[in-house]
């Protein structure tokens, strides 16, 4: 049996559920009287349509998680937003995340916007049964009486092929995969319209990973939610995401529909990322990229990829390439591709 | 034919619980495996979490003693090593590379300190080594993995990228001139753009230094790419073994087939 793609559901262009514009968020540290800015999110704009799965790929410390945190408004010092806006559209009503007070933010969290955190199989309280976690997280947001609430939770677990008996277990009694699926159930029990998943399958082995991804597909299909899906694993993106944005050193360098990105990537970094993926049945030698990812505290001037780029030109070290549309739904930030016009 | 490593019907049972509710968990059941001296190779050990891969590695490294069977390295039973000198001689020949380079190094200590300490501990053949001898050896192994001492000297772990740190960990393992590396998930924490450089490095070490490597992973794609032989483990047992390409191109055991089918490939795009 060959595995089929899990998720691709072509989307008609509909109104965006999320619009991010020129978002900038820096970590500012003050040590010995010296201010340092770590530019983790630097001028990122993107939109996500209703029912779409938008994948964000990039290596560790490229700012993926910071991007998510700024999008969901989970901002804690030293991270702070320097500029830009994040606008959600839930049930026809616009919410600008940074204009909302803590109470208003609380009303859209979980109900409309839910966040599956990195390493989320470890978020369950180890000394309490799982049902308490469900109660603490979700009860206040659902507005139901207790009996209906528990019926609803059980029904949701059954729909995700989880035995409602997990509610009476402690986290340590479940395997990593079960815990991960339980936290996904927890994050989706309020049927949110927008779900952010940060590395939901990293650290799981391949078979469990497949189960978890299948489960996310089912949720997406049942609820019609939009996903912002973050992982560094390009194979997971190939299976799950409708559209992918590649983040390098805090900037979005390329964005395209999944098939376009894998078959016709234009940015040299994306091309390398796709070409270096090993595959079963193909043992041809894969080149590795020289150099190292730049430090975000002191990124290279101009295009941040230029010190490692095979196509680097003079202009690349002087100017920042804009993210230009190359074709409909395909944007690239590279002078070598879009021509040095600016 | 002499054997570098001879794992002979090895089993490991862990006991859990107290007097009243004692349970035993068989982490590894009756595994046999040989690596020949003349044929250095990369041997992949693949399987789901909890299949006993890491327990097997711990027994090869002498960190766990087998409950049944024997692990022979160069004809010597690893369990029979008692004295400090014997243990050092054994450790010089078998070195580990750990999963997460950020956890392998103490964040408060400079990275080069590990390299110098390892060199000082193992270069004792001609008495105590001098500072120059130590630095020369450290520089040589760093060049072997594509770094230089100048890049690493005085750096703390957070100042190096994951790939550089993992290379440094491999360089440290090369200092005593080992014959076998045991690498437990060495690339799972390394960035996508640097992962292949580590995997290619393993291939180069095998070809250039004649080093055998036990490569523990659950990434079948890199196992296919780099390894010569593969064993697929499930619940402590080997369910399939053989030439890596042959096994993965055409797996026979239902579990191997399930494992291969669960692998996500970029072809879905």
């Amino acid at each position: 049996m060959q595995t089929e793609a899990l998720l691709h559901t072509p989307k008609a262009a509909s109104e965006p559920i999320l619009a991010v514009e020129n978002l900038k968020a820096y970590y500012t540290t003050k040590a010995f009287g010296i201010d340092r800015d770590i530019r983790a999110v630097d001028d990122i704009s993107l939109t996500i349509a209703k029912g779409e799965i938008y994948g964000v790929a990039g290596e560790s410390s490229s700012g993926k998680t910071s991007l998510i945190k700024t999008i969901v408004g989970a901002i804690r010092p030293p991270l702070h937003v320097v500029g830009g806006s994040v606008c959600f559209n839930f049930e026809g009503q616009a919410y600008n995340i940074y204009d909302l007070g803590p109470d208003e933010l609380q009303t859209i969290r979980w109900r409309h916007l839910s966040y599956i955190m990195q390493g989320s199989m470890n978020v369950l309280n180890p000394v309490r049964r799982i049902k308490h976690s469900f109660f603490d997280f979700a009860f206040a947001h659902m507005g139901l009486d207790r009996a209906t609430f528990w019926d609803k939770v059980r029904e949701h677990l059954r729909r995700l092929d989880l035995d409602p008996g997990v509610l009476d277990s402690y986290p340590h009694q479940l395997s990593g995969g079960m815990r991960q699926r339980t936290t996904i159930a927890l994050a989706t029990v309020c049927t949110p319209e927008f779900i952010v998943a940060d590395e939901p399958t990293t650290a799981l082995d391949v078979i469990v990973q497949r189960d978890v991804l299948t489960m996310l597909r089912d949720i997406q299909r049942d609820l019609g939610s939009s996903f912002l899906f973050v992982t560094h694993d390009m194979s997971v993106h190939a299976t799950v995401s409708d559209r992918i944005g590649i983040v390098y050193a805090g900037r979005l360098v390329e964005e395209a529909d999944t098939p376009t990105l894998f078959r016709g990537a234009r940015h040299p970094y994306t091309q390398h990322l796709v070409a270096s993926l090993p595959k079963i049945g193909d043992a041809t030698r894969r080149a590795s990229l020289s150099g190292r990812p730049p430090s975000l505290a002191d990124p290279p001037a101009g295009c941040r990829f230029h010190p490692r780029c095979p196509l680097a030109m003079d202009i690349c070290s002087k100017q920042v390439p804009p993210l230009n549309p190359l074709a409909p739904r395909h944007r690239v930030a590279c002078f070598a591709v879009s021509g040095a016009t600016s | 034919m002499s054997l570098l490593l001879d794992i002979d019907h090895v089993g490991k049972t862990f006991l859990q619980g107290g007097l009243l509710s004692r349970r035993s968990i068989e982490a590894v059941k009756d595994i046999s495996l040989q690596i020949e001296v003349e044929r250095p190779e990369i041997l992949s050990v693949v399987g789901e979490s909890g299949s006993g891969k890491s327990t097997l590695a711990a027994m090869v490294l002498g960190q766990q003693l087998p409950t049944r069977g024997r692990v022979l390295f160069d004809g010597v039973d690893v369990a029979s090593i008692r004295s400090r000198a014997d243990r050092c001689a054994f450790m010089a020949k078998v070195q580990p590379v750990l999963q997460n380079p950020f956890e392998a190094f103490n964040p408060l200590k400079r990275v080069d300190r590990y390299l110098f300490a390892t060199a000082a501990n193992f270069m004792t053949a001609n008495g105590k080594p001098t500072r120059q001898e130590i630095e020369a050896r450290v520089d040589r192994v760093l060049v072997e993995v594509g770094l230089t001492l100048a890049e690493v000297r005085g750096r703390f772990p957070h100042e190096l990228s994951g790939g550089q740190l993992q290379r440094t960990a491999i360089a440290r393992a090369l200092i005593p001139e080992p014959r076998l590396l045991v690498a437990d998930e060495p690339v799972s924490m390394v960035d996508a753009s640097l992962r292949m450089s580590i995997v290619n490095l393993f291939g180069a070490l095998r070809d250039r230094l004649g080093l055998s490597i036990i490569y523990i992973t659950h990434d079948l794609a890199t196992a296919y790419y780099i390894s010569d032989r593969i064993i697929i483990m499930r619940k402590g047992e080997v369910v399939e073994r053989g030439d890596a390409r042959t096994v993965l191109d055409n797996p026979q055991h239902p579990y191997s087939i399930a494992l291969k089918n669960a692998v996500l490939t970029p072809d879905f795009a």
Side-chain angles (χ1 to χ4, degrees):
Chain A
M1 182 198 79
Q2 211 15 279
T3 36
E4 81 290 3
L6 284 175
L7 270 173
H8 299 301
T9 37
K11 291 287 155 345
S14 57
E15 56 175 318
I17 192 166
L18 168 68
V20 176
E21 269 176 41
N22 303 97
L23 187 63
K24 287 183 186 181
Y26 300 166
Y27 291 89
T28 305
T29 53
K30 293 188 171 85
F32 307 112
I34 301 165
D35 287 11
R36 287 212 309 175
D37 279 340
I38 314 281
R39 304 178 175 195
V41 178
D42 207 359
D43 209 4
I44 287 185
S45 302
L46 56 89
T47 57
I48 298 177
K50 252 196 175 71
E52 184 181 38
I53 299 184
Y54 188 94
V56 174
E59 34 210 326
S60 35
S61 71
S62 63
K64 301 190 298 287
T65 300
S66 308
L67 174 64
I68 290 184
K69 283 184 176 162
T70 43
I71 285 177
V72 300
I75 300 158
R76 301 264 180 284
L79 179 65
H80 65 117
V81 173
V82 177
S85 66
V86 175
C87 199
F88 283 100
N89 183 351
F90 295 128
E91 293 169 346
Q93 202 181 340
Y95 295 89
N96 190 333
I97 281 276
Y98 304 127
D99 293 344
L100 298 178
D103 292 345
E104 290 167 301
L105 206 54
Q106 203 56 36
T107 57
I108 67 164
R109 282 213 185 119
W110 297 101
R111 191 83 195 86
H112 298 291
L113 169 66
S114 155
Y115 181 14
I116 304 167
M117 271 167 266
Q118 198 164 11
S120 62
M121 57 191 191
N122 301 323
V123 304
L124 298 165
N125 187 335
V127 296
R128 304 188 80 200
R129 291 182 201 275
I130 282 164
K131 61 181 174 191
H132 295 296
S133 296
F134 268 86
F135 189 82
D136 293 348
F137 273 102
F139 183 69
H141 295 282
M142 307 254 290
L144 303 168
D145 61 84
R146 280 172 191 248
T148 334
F149 170 75
W150 287 119
D151 284 347
K152 194 119 185 165
V153 168
R154 290 204 179 85
E155 185 195 304
H156 184 67
L157 289 172
R158 262 185 232 112
R159 192 165 60 196
L160 302 176
D161 282 332
L162 280 164
D163 178 8
V166 297
L167 289 174
D168 288 315
S169 323
Y170 288 97
H172 72 263
Q173 294 173 313
L174 306 177
S175 67
M178 280 287 273
R179 277 204 301 262
Q180 186 70 354
R181 286 164 55 191
T182 308
T183 34
I184 291 172
L186 176 58
T188 52
V189 69
C190 306
T191 63
E193 287 141 83
F194 193 88
I195 300 166
V196 177
D198 190 0
E199 304 269 11
T201 61
T202 311
L204 300 177
D205 63 61
V206 281
I207 291 180
V208 180
Q209 165 169 293
R210 199 177 158 71
D211 290 349
V212 170
L213 292 176
T214 310
M215 178 174 168
L216 285 172
R217 171 200 55 189
D218 293 345
I219 292 170
Q220 203 265 348
R221 194 173 284 165
D222 286 3
L223 308 181
S225 315
S226 314
F227 263 78
L228 178 61
F229 195 93
V230 176
T231 173
H232 67 268
D233 189 334
M234 292 301 283
S235 310
V236 173
H237 277 306
T239 323
V240 174
S241 307
D242 296 322
R243 202 147 60 98
I244 302 175
I246 306 283
V247 174
Y248 184 80
R251 289 221 180 94
L252 202 56
V253 295
E254 183 159 12
E255 180 193 74
D257 288 332
T258 306
T260 318
L261 196 96
F262 277 91
R263 305 233 161 73
R266 299 299 301 277
H267 196 282
Y269 176 67
T270 319
Q271 286 174 341
H272 165 77
L273 216 53
V274 172
S276 72
L277 290 171
K279 270 188 290 192
I280 294 181
D282 178 6
T284 49
R285 194 175 158 76
R286 298 287 196 279
S288 44
L289 203 58
S290 61
R292 53 176 293 203
S295 152
L296 292 172
D298 183 22
C303 172
R304 291 181 178 176
F305 187 59
H306 84 262
R308 302 168 79 188
C309 181
L311 307 176
M313 304 179 291
D314 274 354
I315 187 172
C316 299
S317 55
K318 291 174 190 127
Q319 288 182 32
V320 178
L323 192 62
N324 282 334
L326 200 70
R329 297 168 68 82
H330 189 175
R331 296 189 291 165
V332 184
C334 180
F335 288 122
V337 173
S338 58
T341 48
S342 59
Chain B
M1 182 188 84
S2 55
L3 293 174
L4 180 69
L5 179 71
D6 183 6
I7 300 178
D8 181 19
H9 296 285
V10 154
K12 178 76 190 176
T13 309
F14 291 106
L15 291 175
Q16 203 181 47
L19 276 175
L20 297 173
S21 62
R22 174 156 290 196
R23 282 195 302 160
S24 68
I25 295 164
E26 265 194 284
V28 172
K29 302 172 194 165
D30 194 39
I31 285 184
S32 294
L33 186 69
Q34 283 81 32
I35 294 177
E36 291 171 31
V37 173
E38 286 83 19
R39 269 221 320 246
E41 61 178 328
I42 297 180
L43 173 79
S44 289
V45 180
V46 191
E48 61 193 353
S49 333
S51 61
K53 306 187 296 276
S54 295
T55 308
L56 184 66
M59 287 193 287
V60 172
L61 288 166
Q63 293 169 339
Q64 296 274 0
L65 296 181
T67 321
R68 291 171 301 283
R70 294 187 307 166
V71 178
L72 298 171
F73 186 82
D74 244 357
V76 179
D77 189 345
V78 173
S80 72
I81 296 172
R82 286 283 180 274
S83 73
R84 183 182 149 77
D86 287 351
R87 177 147 292 276
C88 277
F90 169 72
M91 288 199 299
K93 285 184 238 154
V94 184
Q95 280 283 327
V97 175
L98 302 177
Q99 177 173 12
N100 188 344
F102 292 100
E103 285 174 7
F105 292 101
N106 184 335
L108 300 176
K109 288 181 181 168
R110 295 175 203 276
V111 170
D112 53 2
R113 174 186 176 132
Y114 288 90
L115 299 167
F116 294 137
T118 307
N121 282 337
F122 284 108
M123 292 168 63
T124 47
N126 312 317
K128 204 165 178 286
T130 64
R131 190 78 196 164
Q132 285 79 17
E133 282 169 358
I134 288 179
E135 292 207 353
R137 171 76 70 95
V138 168
D139 195 40
R140 207 179 72 220
V141 292
L142 283 170
V143 169
E144 204 73 66
V145 300
L147 294 168
T148 57
L149 184 53
E151 278 179 88
V152 174
R153 191 195 292 273
R155 299 290 196 100
F156 286 99
H158 69 88
E159 294 179 277
L160 298 171
S161 75
Q164 280 177 315
L165 214 50
Q166 192 62 291
R167 282 161 179 277
T168 312
I170 295 167
R172 189 213 58 80
L174 294 178
I175 287 174
E177 296 176 339
R179 312 271 297 281
L180 178 68
L181 281 191
V182 180
D184 194 351
E185 305 257 9
V187 293
S188 64
M189 302 300 290
V190 176
D191 291 337
S193 73
L194 300 165
R195 177 168 304 176
M196 290 319 285
S197 72
I198 301 283
V199 175
N200 284 335
L201 171 63
F202 282 143
L205 292 175
R206 169 194 57 193
D207 300 340
R208 221 165 46 215
L209 305 180
L211 199 63
S212 287
I213 297 167
I214 296 182
Y215 174 50
I216 297 174
T217 183
H218 54 236
D219 180 1
L220 281 116
T222 53
Y224 183 92
Y225 174 70
I226 199 67
S227 55
D228 304 294
R229 269 197 301 161
I230 191 168
I231 64 172
I232 297 177
M233 287 182 69
R234 186 189 193 197
K235 295 184 175 160
E237 287 173 273
V238 175
V239 297
E240 194 161 351
R241 64 166 78 207
D243 176 77
R245 309 270 156 82
T246 319
V247 168
L248 288 176
D249 279 334
N250 191 13
Q252 299 299 320
H253 190 276
Y255 177 69
S256 319
I257 296 170
L259 203 60
K260 186 184 167 186
N261 283 335
V263 173
L264 305 173
T265 83
D267 295 339
F268 293 151

